[in-house]
Amino acid sequence: MEQNLVFATNNEHKLSEVREIAGDSFRVLSLKDIGCFDDIPETADTLEGNALLKARHVKQKYGCDCFADDTGLEISALHNAPGVYSARYAGEAKDAKANMRKVLYELQNQTDRSARFRTVIALIIGEKEYLLEGIIEGTIIEEARGGGGFGYDPIFVPRGYTNTFAELGADVKNTISHRAEAIKKLKQLIDAKQEI
């Protein structure tokens, strides 16, 4: 029997990315699919905390098995900032271009430009909660390149590549990204549970 899971996000980019990565392992429902139009707070100071807040909100209010993610860009020279504040690094408007400009400004005189994207998924099935993590290492370049992707993708080059996430395209990104790694772990967990 196919597992239905609600993905607790209002981010259409993330939703389509996760559906692409999940394939037919399980069915990804959106918040709209269950009639949830809540503005779910993300007030924790860790990625794990925010992912759990969102998943628990959906589980408690709608009773659905669900998962939520929170993702942060962690830059070594900035002591792992912007981290949990990645989406609103330049302010509450959550302006991706402003966020990138702020990062590039803060790295102006830095020789260490190493960074990583980290995704944490909180999954709730029945009464059980799971935390899963995906990480990809890379480098922040000096100016934005590429028209694809979203968020910080135009300034992040994954290790082993010369193009940014925004240049690599969805097919490559959805195979190697932090979110792909976390979703692969989610798929393995779902598959293992279905075999029991």
Side-chain angles (χ1 to χ4, degrees):
M1 193 175 80
E2 190 177 43
Q3 172 81 52
N4 286 340
L5 286 177
V6 175
F7 183 23
T9 185
N10 287 309
N11 185 321
E12 291 296 328
H13 293 294
K14 280 188 185 182
L15 184 63
S16 60
E17 209 172 81
V18 165
R19 281 181 169 152
E20 184 76 29
I21 297 164
D24 55 8
S25 296
F26 55 92
R27 186 160 169 250
V28 180
L29 301 176
S30 68
L31 290 175
K32 285 178 192 161
D33 290 335
I34 61 164
C36 173
F37 300 95
D38 306 351
D39 187 15
I40 305 171
E42 296 180 52
T43 52
D45 56 5
T46 63
L47 299 176
E48 292 80 358
N50 276 338
L52 281 167
L53 275 175
K54 291 184 278 188
R56 285 172 179 164
H57 178 93
V58 170
K59 182 67 175 179
Q60 287 161 9
K61 192 166 177 185
Y62 297 89
C64 303
D65 288 344
C66 62
F67 67 99
D69 85 326
D70 200 21
T71 296
L73 174 64
E74 300 177 340
I75 301 171
S76 301
L78 303 181
H79 310 287
N80 287 339
V84 73
Y85 304 108
S86 292
R88 53 190 185 276
Y89 196 44
E92 287 302 319
K94 296 185 177 180
D95 181 329
K97 287 183 177 171
N99 289 337
M100 281 192 287
R101 280 196 300 271
K102 183 173 180 181
V103 162
L104 293 177
Y105 175 78
E106 290 181 341
L107 286 177
Q108 275 181 111
N109 301 311
Q110 294 289 345
T111 51
D112 177 9
R113 300 181 77 88
S114 59
R116 67 181 190 170
F117 272 118
R118 189 163 71 93
T119 289
V120 174
I121 288 178
L123 168 68
I124 305 178
I125 295 182
E127 301 303 312
K128 290 201 168 178
E129 294 184 346
Y130 306 86
L131 282 173
L132 309 160
E133 182 182 69
I135 291 173
I136 186 163
E137 306 284 345
T139 306
I140 302 298
I141 57 172
E142 293 183 2
E143 59 184 12
R145 291 197 327 242
F150 61 98
Y152 296 92
D153 286 356
I155 60 170
F156 182 84
V157 174
R159 185 179 290 166
Y161 291 80
T162 53
N163 290 332
T164 67
F165 266 164
E167 293 173 310
L168 285 171
D171 287 349
V172 176
K173 184 187 174 188
N174 290 346
T175 306
I176 65 169
S177 77
H178 45 295
R179 192 165 291 109
E181 285 302 307
I183 293 293
K184 281 176 200 163
K185 292 178 183 176
L186 177 59
K187 284 165 71 168
Q188 288 164 357
L189 190 63
I190 299 296
D191 290 343
K193 289 181 79 62
Q194 287 176 343
E195 286 165 15
I196 294 169

